[in-house]
Amino acid sequence: MPELPEIEAWRRALDEPVSAFPIERAGPAHVATLKTIQPPLSTLEGRRLAGARRRAKRLLFPTDDGELVLMVHLMSAGRLRYLRAGEKGPKTPAFRLRFEGGGELVLTEAGSKKRAGVWLLTPEQADEELAHLGPEALGLGPERLAEILAADSRRLHPRLSPYALSTQLSSEEIERLAEAIDAELERGLELRERGANDAKTYRIHNRLGEPCPECGTPIARVDYEEHTIFYCPSCQTGGRVLKDRRLSRLLR
């Protein structure tokens, strides 16, 4: 989950300010952004948030009375900011919470497509919405990772060959993968908390032709119809350069 460091850094930054004051006004929200009608957003007004939580890519803001949970899914282009009293923000955000004292929590989304979402739920409804999600990636460990990999045969993208099957990994490879997941997510989180952008955080992604940080081999890529994978031919594929998957299905 490469988004984890960025979203967790946002959660940590929002935790204290969103709980400092009661909510003065909830909304407005763009019609495509608000995914629930009942209870209405106005139900939040006068309540206080208990801080910021995270489950996978979703940010959760429970009320301190335990009755409601505001859930936000940023998708790929959403951004959530806390504006302090007097700080200028967007005129028409996709969603806004105004707090007593003048602070605001605002959701913006780049582009014309409105994919980010806001839900106002009871705790029971929130549990149902999140029930399908898998375990958190950070701190997963080799034993739990091995169980997950053995349960379904899928191709892997980073760290090992992009075409390696999850059910055919050795115990050594699983342990190495588990250690790499933790190391990279912790490294990314530290950088995100310092304000680093994608270019400074990602070591392989979108770095075609640049030297691999581990061995110095130029980074390569393989293209699919819907996405692109960047990889190191030396570290991940034993020197093999993978073919464009949009044009060829010969390489396995």
Side-chain angles (χ1 to χ4, degrees):
M1 182 184 167
E3 301 89 353
L4 186 151
E6 183 176 23
I7 297 175
E8 176 62 18
W10 282 339
R11 184 205 68 77
R12 295 183 183 185
L14 293 171
D15 186 49
E16 183 177 348
V18 299
S19 60
F21 295 95
I23 296 169
E24 181 177 272
R25 185 181 179 191
H30 191 280
V31 65
T33 303
L34 185 61
K35 307 299 184 182
T36 55
I37 300 175
Q38 291 294 335
L41 284 177
S42 59
T43 313
L44 285 170
E45 295 171 1
R47 299 177 191 251
R48 208 175 190 124
L49 297 178
R53 311 285 185 265
R54 182 189 58 80
R55 181 67 176 95
K57 301 178 185 179
R58 294 150 180 82
L59 289 166
L60 307 170
F61 303 92
T63 56
D64 65 356
D65 57 15
E67 294 184 0
L68 296 169
V69 178
L70 181 71
M71 184 173 77
V72 180
H73 195 323
L74 300 175
M75 299 300 286
S76 59
R79 296 293 181 269
L80 200 60
R81 295 175 55 201
Y82 183 84
L83 304 175
R84 302 195 178 274
E87 186 177 355
K88 290 186 178 181
K91 292 183 178 179
T92 56
F95 172 71
R96 183 197 311 265
L97 276 186
R98 182 176 178 84
F99 298 89
E100 294 179 15
E104 293 185 340
L105 182 68
V106 296
L107 170 64
T108 58
E109 189 170 13
S112 58
K113 295 181 180 179
K114 300 300 179 184
R115 293 176 175 170
V118 172
W119 292 255
L120 184 58
L121 308 163
T122 65
E124 294 75 20
Q125 290 171 330
D127 288 343
E128 291 177 6
E129 287 284 341
L130 302 172
H132 71 285
L133 298 174
E136 290 291 325
L138 185 59
L140 192 60
E143 291 184 3
R144 182 69 180 107
L145 179 59
E147 294 175 359
I148 295 170
L149 294 175
D152 192 8
S153 182
R154 293 174 179 267
R155 295 195 184 280
L156 301 175
H157 287 183
R159 291 297 162 186
L160 305 173
S161 168
Y163 295 158
L165 291 177
S166 59
T167 53
Q168 297 179 4
L169 300 184
S170 67
S171 58
E172 180 186 0
E173 289 174 320
I174 293 173
E175 185 170 351
R176 181 158 58 95
L177 182 58
E179 291 175 354
I181 289 172
D182 279 353
E184 282 303 294
L185 290 179
E186 288 171 353
R187 183 189 67 84
L189 178 55
E190 181 182 350
L191 288 171
R192 290 295 189 182
E193 286 196 284
R194 285 193 260 146
N197 58 18
D198 288 353
K200 291 183 178 180
T201 303
Y202 296 148
R203 299 203 299 164
I204 302 296
H205 180 69
N206 209 27
R207 293 187 178 276
L208 181 64
E210 296 183 26
C212 168
E214 298 294 330
C215 70
T217 300
I219 297 299
R221 76 180 184 193
V222 56
D223 292 307
Y224 289 75
E225 293 294 342
E226 300 293 333
H227 63 280
T228 297
I229 296 172
F230 293 84
Y231 68 99
C232 171
S234 179
C235 294
Q236 293 175 254
T237 59
R240 299 177 70 189
V241 177
L242 305 178
K243 295 182 180 179
D244 188 339
R245 299 298 290 184
R246 292 175 301 179
L247 304 176
S248 172
R249 302 178 66 179
L250 298 177
L251 188 59
R252 292 290 187 266

